[in-house]
Amino acid sequence: MSVELSILDLAQVGSGETVGESFAASVDMAQHAEKWGYRRIWYAEHHNMSSIASAAPAVLIAHIAAHTDSIRLGAGGVMLPNHSPLAIAEQFGTLAELHPGRIDLGLGRAPGGDQNTFAALRRTMASADRFPSDVLELQGYLRGASRVEGVSATPGSGTDIPLYILGSSLFGAQLAAALGLPYAFASHFAPQALEEAVALYRREFQPSQQLDSPYVIAGVCAIADDDEEVAQDQLRKAKRARVNALFARDRRFTDEEADMILDMPQGRQIDAMMTYAGIGTPSQVDDYLQWFAGHAQADELIVASIAPDRDVWLNTLGLIAPARSLSSAD
């Protein structure tokens, strides 16, 4: 690859799996990824989703870090309006002190869940409006230059953990550019504004203490298997799972019902979410990722392996890994 490769682990809870088994799979994958040459693994804050177990990124990162040695780990991201900047500085400052030089902190402003979740988190619309100032407050705590008189983060102060702005719209691009921070675009599920947002970010970027020049991370889905038909079958199953996550309420759709929805106008939403997905044999996925890196003007790709089958999920990351000679999931 002409760019760095990283991993977005959604901590998915597969059919018939427990949350504990999902976490065990995440540990196993991280240990492989460390050998396979991936730059980093990120975990995203989601709430009220039975199929995703990354509700508490700092806790999950601590667990993964304790079972790995060198790979960078971070939040991709923490939804900052759900928290006070001081609490996040203390949480991630603790991680940085325990695992120096390995911790990233990506920041988003979405609630990470639906409207009921929004209320349960005690969020208000004003929480999202404060996002830019909250980023600066958090940055101050981590740099040991608090913007709040008489308050410092312990742990956290002086760790200067690298911050990343996450987004899927022009707002995040503008903020990352103005603050001189790296920008991670969520093109793995919200691809519509990718080209416009990246162009804006690169055009308006202002150098900062953290970063001299623009740095773009773009999300992309992938399923790789030596048998292309297996990869395509896993894609169909991944789409069915997305149908259940988005449209099911108190029941689960059968495969036949999910396929019917995928063939209806509602199904176009699923297809749109997966606009950027490399599916097929390892060489086909490699070619796709190379194309996508150029298309997204990305310095780094963060890959979400979306195969529902655990073996294919892990093997996908091995088959497209930077260090292919070490990419055995056995």
Side-chain angles (χ1 to χ4, degrees):
M1 284 294 298
S2 58
V3 299
E4 296 267 17
L5 275 186
S6 296
I7 296 170
L8 177 64
D9 183 359
L10 296 173
Q12 62 191 35
V13 182
S15 178
E17 272 189 340
T18 66
V19 169
E21 288 167 340
S22 169
F23 290 154
S26 289
V27 170
D28 181 56
M29 183 273 283
Q31 292 171 336
H32 281 92
E34 192 165 64
K35 300 173 185 175
W36 291 344
Y38 283 96
R39 179 169 176 75
R40 69 181 99 237
I41 306 173
W42 278 359
Y43 307 87
E45 179 183 347
H46 290 84
H47 299 282
N48 195 31
M49 299 183 71
S50 61
S51 60
I52 297 180
S54 52
V59 180
L60 184 53
I61 290 166
H63 181 63
I64 304 292
H67 290 82
T68 53
D69 297 315
S70 59
I71 194 166
R72 295 192 69 88
L73 302 167
V78 162
M79 301 299 108
L80 190 55
N82 294 345
H83 315 273
S84 75
L86 177 60
I88 295 304
E90 292 168 340
Q91 290 172 21
F92 279 79
T94 299
L95 289 169
E97 295 289 2
L98 290 170
H99 308 283
R102 295 183 59 196
I103 303 301
D104 300 327
L105 179 48
L107 303 168
R109 65 171 184 151
D114 57 21
Q115 287 301 313
N116 289 336
T117 303
F118 186 94
L121 288 167
R122 305 298 192 266
R123 278 188 57 150
T124 65
M125 294 306 296
S127 302
D129 293 340
R130 289 196 305 269
F131 181 63
S133 60
D134 281 355
V135 172
L136 290 172
E137 182 181 334
L138 172 59
Q139 188 177 61
Y141 291 133
L142 296 174
R143 286 183 175 168
S146 175
R147 292 170 173 258
V148 181
E149 186 177 356
V151 178
S152 62
T154 306
S157 181
T159 56
D160 208 11
I161 299 166
L163 301 182
Y164 300 75
I165 299 297
L166 278 63
S168 58
S169 69
L170 302 187
F171 176 88
Q174 289 173 318
L175 181 62
L179 298 182
L181 296 176
Y183 181 49
F185 192 89
S187 35
H188 62 290
F189 78 92
Q192 289 78 7
L194 171 64
E195 295 172 80
E196 187 179 4
V198 170
L200 184 154
Y201 167 71
R202 289 192 174 280
R203 183 174 65 249
E204 298 189 2
F205 179 85
Q206 299 295 315
S208 68
Q209 180 179 328
Q210 179 176 327
L211 196 62
D212 292 331
S213 57
Y215 192 86
V216 173
I217 302 174
V220 61
C221 299
I223 303 176
D225 194 90
D226 290 327
D227 186 337
E228 184 181 357
E229 290 186 5
V230 169
Q232 292 295 337
D233 179 65
Q234 285 291 297
L235 175 61
R236 189 69 176 181
K237 290 177 178 177
K239 289 183 177 181
R240 289 170 182 160
R242 196 70 62 92
V243 166
N244 275 288
L246 291 179
F247 303 126
R249 292 295 182 263
D250 298 325
R251 59 182 291 264
R252 182 175 179 83
F253 293 120
T254 66
D255 289 349
E256 292 75 16
E257 290 170 331
D259 286 341
M260 287 178 61
I261 294 172
L262 287 170
D263 292 334
M264 295 167 62
Q266 294 93 323
R268 293 174 194 155
Q269 180 181 350
I270 306 296
D271 289 334
M273 292 174 72
M274 296 184 176
T275 295
Y276 296 121
I279 311 296
T281 65
S283 62
Q284 288 172 328
V285 176
D286 280 344
D287 289 345
Y288 183 86
L289 295 181
Q290 288 282 10
W291 169 83
F292 177 70
H295 175 73
Q297 299 185 63
D299 301 287
E300 180 178 337
L301 299 184
I302 189 158
V303 178
S305 178
I306 59 171
D309 181 274
R310 273 294 179 200
D311 290 335
V312 181
W313 172 77
L314 180 61
N315 285 333
T316 289
L317 298 168
L319 291 169
I320 64 172
R324 301 299 169 83
S325 62
L326 301 176
S327 301
S328 171
D330 297 331

mmCIF file of all heavy atoms in Angstrom, residues 163 175-182 201 205-213:
data_model
loop_
_atom_site.group_PDB
_atom_site.id
_atom_site.type_symbol
_atom_site.label_atom_id
_atom_site.label_comp_id
_atom_site.label_asym_id
_atom_site.label_seq_id
_atom_site.Cartn_x
_atom_site.Cartn_y
_atom_site.Cartn_z
ATOM 1 N N LEU A 163 -4.652 14.517 19.244
ATOM 2 C CA LEU A 163 -6.088 14.599 18.999
ATOM 3 C C LEU A 163 -6.376 14.498 17.510
ATOM 4 O O LEU A 163 -5.582 14.948 16.677
ATOM 5 C CB LEU A 163 -6.650 15.920 19.532
ATOM 6 C CG LEU A 163 -6.472 16.206 21.019
ATOM 7 C CD1 LEU A 163 -7.139 17.532 21.386
ATOM 8 C CD2 LEU A 163 -7.024 15.069 21.875
ATOM 9 N N LEU A 175 -13.420 22.489 11.277
ATOM 10 C CA LEU A 175 -12.852 22.562 12.623
ATOM 11 C C LEU A 175 -11.448 21.990 12.659
ATOM 12 O O LEU A 175 -10.529 22.592 13.235
ATOM 13 C CB LEU A 175 -13.755 21.821 13.607
ATOM 14 C CG LEU A 175 -13.293 21.832 15.061
ATOM 15 C CD1 LEU A 175 -13.245 23.262 15.611
ATOM 16 C CD2 LEU A 175 -14.199 20.959 15.930
ATOM 17 N N ALA A 176 -11.259 20.824 12.048
ATOM 18 C CA ALA A 176 -9.929 20.213 12.028
ATOM 19 C C ALA A 176 -8.925 21.125 11.332
ATOM 20 O O ALA A 176 -7.774 21.258 11.774
ATOM 21 C CB ALA A 176 -9.992 18.857 11.324
ATOM 22 N N ALA A 177 -9.341 21.764 10.253
ATOM 23 C CA ALA A 177 -8.452 22.671 9.525
ATOM 24 C C ALA A 177 -8.098 23.883 10.377
ATOM 25 O O ALA A 177 -6.931 24.305 10.446
ATOM 26 C CB ALA A 177 -9.114 23.107 8.220
ATOM 27 N N ALA A 178 -9.088 24.460 11.032
ATOM 28 C CA ALA A 178 -8.854 25.662 11.828
ATOM 29 C C ALA A 178 -7.944 25.389 13.024
ATOM 30 O O ALA A 178 -7.121 26.233 13.400
ATOM 31 C CB ALA A 178 -10.188 26.236 12.307
ATOM 32 N N LEU A 179 -8.079 24.196 13.618
ATOM 33 C CA LEU A 179 -7.285 23.848 14.796
ATOM 34 C C LEU A 179 -5.958 23.186 14.450
ATOM 35 O O LEU A 179 -5.147 22.915 15.340
ATOM 36 C CB LEU A 179 -8.089 22.925 15.719
ATOM 37 C CG LEU A 179 -9.388 23.497 16.293
ATOM 38 C CD1 LEU A 179 -10.044 22.496 17.230
ATOM 39 C CD2 LEU A 179 -9.140 24.819 17.015
ATOM 40 N N GLY A 180 -5.751 22.895 13.166
ATOM 41 C CA GLY A 180 -4.513 22.236 12.757
ATOM 42 C C GLY A 180 -4.388 20.822 13.275
ATOM 43 O O GLY A 180 -3.308 20.388 13.695
ATOM 44 N N LEU A 181 -5.512 20.084 13.244
ATOM 45 C CA LEU A 181 -5.531 18.706 13.735
ATOM 46 C C LEU A 181 -5.761 17.735 12.585
ATOM 47 O O LEU A 181 -6.331 18.104 11.555
ATOM 48 C CB LEU A 181 -6.642 18.534 14.776
ATOM 49 C CG LEU A 181 -6.482 19.334 16.065
ATOM 50 C CD1 LEU A 181 -7.705 19.150 16.956
ATOM 51 C CD2 LEU A 181 -5.211 18.936 16.804
ATOM 52 N N PRO A 182 -5.356 16.481 12.730
ATOM 53 C CA PRO A 182 -5.658 15.472 11.704
ATOM 54 C C PRO A 182 -7.163 15.290 11.595
ATOM 55 O O PRO A 182 -7.902 15.444 12.581
ATOM 56 C CB PRO A 182 -4.975 14.205 12.223
ATOM 57 C CG PRO A 182 -4.031 14.658 13.282
ATOM 58 C CD PRO A 182 -4.590 15.916 13.861
ATOM 59 N N TYR A 201 -10.806 20.655 3.915
ATOM 60 C CA TYR A 201 -9.816 20.510 4.983
ATOM 61 C C TYR A 201 -8.413 20.827 4.484
ATOM 62 O O TYR A 201 -7.670 21.596 5.125
ATOM 63 C CB TYR A 201 -9.876 19.093 5.550
ATOM 64 C CG TYR A 201 -8.721 18.716 6.444
ATOM 65 C CD1 TYR A 201 -8.585 19.269 7.720
ATOM 66 C CD2 TYR A 201 -7.746 17.814 6.016
ATOM 67 C CE1 TYR A 201 -7.523 18.928 8.542
ATOM 68 C CE2 TYR A 201 -6.684 17.463 6.837
ATOM 69 C CZ TYR A 201 -6.566 18.019 8.097
ATOM 70 O OH TYR A 201 -5.512 17.695 8.913
ATOM 71 N N PHE A 205 -6.424 24.236 5.896
ATOM 72 C CA PHE A 205 -5.607 23.779 7.023
ATOM 73 C C PHE A 205 -4.635 24.862 7.498
ATOM 74 O O PHE A 205 -3.941 25.496 6.706
ATOM 75 C CB PHE A 205 -4.818 22.532 6.638
ATOM 76 C CG PHE A 205 -3.941 22.008 7.739
ATOM 77 C CD1 PHE A 205 -4.461 21.166 8.706
ATOM 78 C CD2 PHE A 205 -2.605 22.382 7.826
ATOM 79 C CE1 PHE A 205 -3.659 20.697 9.745
ATOM 80 C CE2 PHE A 205 -1.799 21.906 8.852
ATOM 81 C CZ PHE A 205 -2.327 21.065 9.814
ATOM 82 N N GLN A 206 -4.587 25.024 8.825
ATOM 83 C CA GLN A 206 -3.651 25.940 9.463
ATOM 84 C C GLN A 206 -2.678 25.141 10.333
ATOM 85 O O GLN A 206 -3.108 24.412 11.222
ATOM 86 C CB GLN A 206 -4.414 26.941 10.341
ATOM 87 C CG GLN A 206 -5.397 27.817 9.590
ATOM 88 C CD GLN A 206 -4.690 28.741 8.610
ATOM 89 O OE1 GLN A 206 -3.679 29.361 8.946
ATOM 90 N NE2 GLN A 206 -5.225 28.830 7.399
ATOM 91 N N PRO A 207 -1.373 25.250 10.089
ATOM 92 C CA PRO A 207 -0.403 24.499 10.902
ATOM 93 C C PRO A 207 -0.562 24.798 12.390
ATOM 94 O O PRO A 207 -0.959 25.899 12.788
ATOM 95 C CB PRO A 207 0.951 24.998 10.379
ATOM 96 C CG PRO A 207 0.660 25.493 8.995
ATOM 97 C CD PRO A 207 -0.728 26.070 9.058
ATOM 98 N N SER A 208 -0.239 23.797 13.198
ATOM 99 C CA SER A 208 -0.419 23.930 14.648
ATOM 100 C C SER A 208 0.760 23.304 15.376
ATOM 101 O O SER A 208 1.660 22.713 14.763
ATOM 102 C CB SER A 208 -1.706 23.221 15.077
ATOM 103 O OG SER A 208 -1.564 21.812 14.923
ATOM 104 N N GLN A 209 0.723 23.379 16.686
ATOM 105 C CA GLN A 209 1.754 22.744 17.506
ATOM 106 C C GLN A 209 1.783 21.237 17.282
ATOM 107 O O GLN A 209 2.844 20.615 17.302
ATOM 108 C CB GLN A 209 1.479 23.047 18.984
ATOM 109 C CG GLN A 209 2.477 22.448 19.956
ATOM 110 C CD GLN A 209 2.148 22.813 21.396
ATOM 111 O OE1 GLN A 209 1.622 23.882 21.687
ATOM 112 N NE2 GLN A 209 2.465 21.910 22.335
ATOM 113 N N GLN A 210 0.631 20.637 17.029
ATOM 114 C CA GLN A 210 0.578 19.188 16.827
ATOM 115 C C GLN A 210 0.943 18.772 15.418
ATOM 116 O O GLN A 210 1.560 17.709 15.221
ATOM 117 C CB GLN A 210 -0.833 18.654 17.145
ATOM 118 C CG GLN A 210 -0.974 17.136 16.936
ATOM 119 C CD GLN A 210 -2.333 16.600 17.346
ATOM 120 O OE1 GLN A 210 -2.961 17.096 18.277
ATOM 121 N NE2 GLN A 210 -2.806 15.565 16.660
ATOM 122 N N LEU A 211 0.609 19.591 14.405
ATOM 123 C CA LEU A 211 0.680 19.123 13.020
ATOM 124 C C LEU A 211 1.114 20.254 12.090
ATOM 125 O O LEU A 211 0.529 21.334 12.106
ATOM 126 C CB LEU A 211 -0.704 18.596 12.614
ATOM 127 C CG LEU A 211 -0.832 17.726 11.381
ATOM 128 C CD1 LEU A 211 -0.041 16.426 11.534
ATOM 129 C CD2 LEU A 211 -2.298 17.413 11.115
ATOM 130 N N ASP A 212 2.128 19.962 11.249
ATOM 131 C CA ASP A 212 2.634 20.959 10.307
ATOM 132 C C ASP A 212 1.825 21.043 9.021
ATOM 133 O O ASP A 212 1.733 22.108 8.408
ATOM 134 C CB ASP A 212 4.093 20.645 9.938
ATOM 135 C CG ASP A 212 5.035 20.831 11.108
ATOM 136 O OD1 ASP A 212 4.732 21.675 11.977
ATOM 137 O OD2 ASP A 212 6.059 20.129 11.155
ATOM 138 N N SER A 213 1.276 19.908 8.584
ATOM 139 C CA SER A 213 0.578 19.853 7.302
ATOM 140 C C SER A 213 -0.639 18.949 7.429
ATOM 141 O O SER A 213 -0.728 18.143 8.354
ATOM 142 C CB SER A 213 1.518 19.344 6.201
ATOM 143 O OG SER A 213 2.035 18.069 6.537
#
